Amino acid sequence: LLDGYLCDFLWAWSLTFLLVLILGTKKSSLLVACVIAMGFEIIMESLQMTSWMAGGFDVFDIVVECMATCVAILILIFTKLEGFKT
């Protein structure tokens, strides 16, 4: 289980943190980063059902990626990192 979905988890985790670095750490920016990340993850996985993108579509990939995004955002909210504005 871990070796099959860890890459998806880490990909979504890093995408979320990259978006937060770009957009900022205000609560509204965190929400925007979360929506963009989840939307992008769903689109990328859905494209794997077509011939446009290689890979195998898996609903559990979407679940794992969205879970990683939520965990990353929650860590940012609850740790109140330096520069975190409420």
Side-chain angles (χ1 to χ4, degrees):
L1 180 69
L2 239 165
D3 61 342
Y5 295 104
L6 184 60
C7 290
D8 291 319
F9 187 91
L10 294 175
W11 176 82
W13 176 278
S14 61
L15 173 65
T16 304
F17 275 102
L18 176 66
L19 287 169
V20 168
L21 281 173
I22 293 169
L23 298 173
T25 56
K26 293 182 190 172
K27 283 188 180 179
S28 60
S29 298
L30 292 178
L31 179 63
V32 170
C34 184
V35 169
I36 291 172
M38 286 187 181
F40 188 72
E41 293 156 7
I42 291 169
I43 289 170
M44 293 301 287
E45 281 296 320
S46 298
L47 283 175
Q48 291 179 9
M49 288 191 297
T50 68
S51 60
W52 294 352
M53 180 178 278
F57 176 78
D58 185 9
V59 174
F60 198 64
D61 281 349
I62 295 174
V63 171
V64 168
E65 291 166 356
C66 289
M67 201 169 64
T69 298
C70 290
V71 169
I73 295 295
L74 288 173
I75 286 172
L76 288 169
I77 289 171
F78 288 117
T79 58
K80 297 189 185 246
L81 296 173
E82 195 173 314
F84 184 77
K85 298 174 183 73
T86 56

